[in-house]
Amino acid sequence: MELNTIKPAEGSKRPRRRVGRGIGSGLGKTAGRGHKGQKSRAGGYHKVGFEGGQMPLQRRLPKRGFKSASLKFNAEVTLSDLDRLEVAEIDVLTLKKSGLVREIAKVVKVIKSGELKRAVKLTGVGATAGAKAAIEAAGGSVA
């Protein structure tokens, strides 16, 4: 077999349908468009979602909600997560390596959920007011 001898499988290719080329072709006169009406005219057909003048579905339904595109770059860590982590100094890179936050996370914040029994030092990681109080009560610090 040579590259120049390769042909498509028998019956897999059909000739183009040439419409409007006389009676004998079977697709003359109206060229398969039927008689009259908007669909038969040149350049005349409705846009996507058009319902003949009736208020279209996308305009009848209420607009609802919003999802921020930047949310995927934010991450939350609980106090109990920090307690399980066996590191004294915690930054974003440490949290990524431990698998507590996703690799694409840019902003990390500690939330007050669970308990912290040991002192930890946070650098480059935010904390809510309650979480900050809990970390400082355990002898840690938030930078």
Side-chain angles (χ1 to χ4, degrees):
M1 186 197 297
E2 300 291 324
L3 282 175
N4 62 334
T5 62
I6 295 174
K7 287 196 165 100
E10 197 63 44
S12 68
K13 296 281 185 179
R14 301 182 71 187
R16 256 178 75 226
R17 178 178 288 174
R18 297 189 69 213
V19 297
R21 292 295 183 276
I23 298 166
S25 70
L27 288 166
K29 196 186 168 216
T30 54
R33 286 171 171 257
H35 290 277
K36 298 185 182 175
Q38 189 180 24
K39 289 193 212 173
S40 73
R41 316 275 184 209
Y45 198 53
H46 61 76
K47 63 184 175 201
V48 174
F50 184 68
E51 297 182 20
Q54 171 176 296
M55 188 62 69
L57 183 68
Q58 74 270 21
R59 290 189 58 200
R60 287 199 302 264
L61 297 175
K63 294 200 285 185
R64 187 174 166 272
F66 168 78
K67 191 161 173 98
S68 173
S70 63
L71 269 180
K72 63 183 172 205
F73 299 112
N74 298 344
E76 287 180 351
V77 180
T78 62
L79 288 174
S80 49
D81 287 337
L82 293 184
D83 201 42
R84 271 186 258 123
L85 204 62
E86 298 297 320
V87 185
E89 289 196 24
I90 297 170
D91 59 351
V92 180
L93 199 64
T94 316
L95 294 170
K96 284 181 183 179
K97 281 182 183 170
S98 65
L100 285 174
V101 297
R102 297 193 322 178
E103 283 295 321
I104 62 166
K106 291 179 181 169
V107 179
V108 181
K109 200 168 201 180
V110 180
I111 57 171
K112 187 179 183 249
S113 177
E115 287 183 0
L116 186 66
K117 298 178 184 78
R118 58 189 190 80
V120 290
K121 184 184 177 197
L122 295 181
T123 49
V125 178
T128 61
K132 188 174 181 183
I135 290 166
E136 288 170 351
S141 65
V142 180

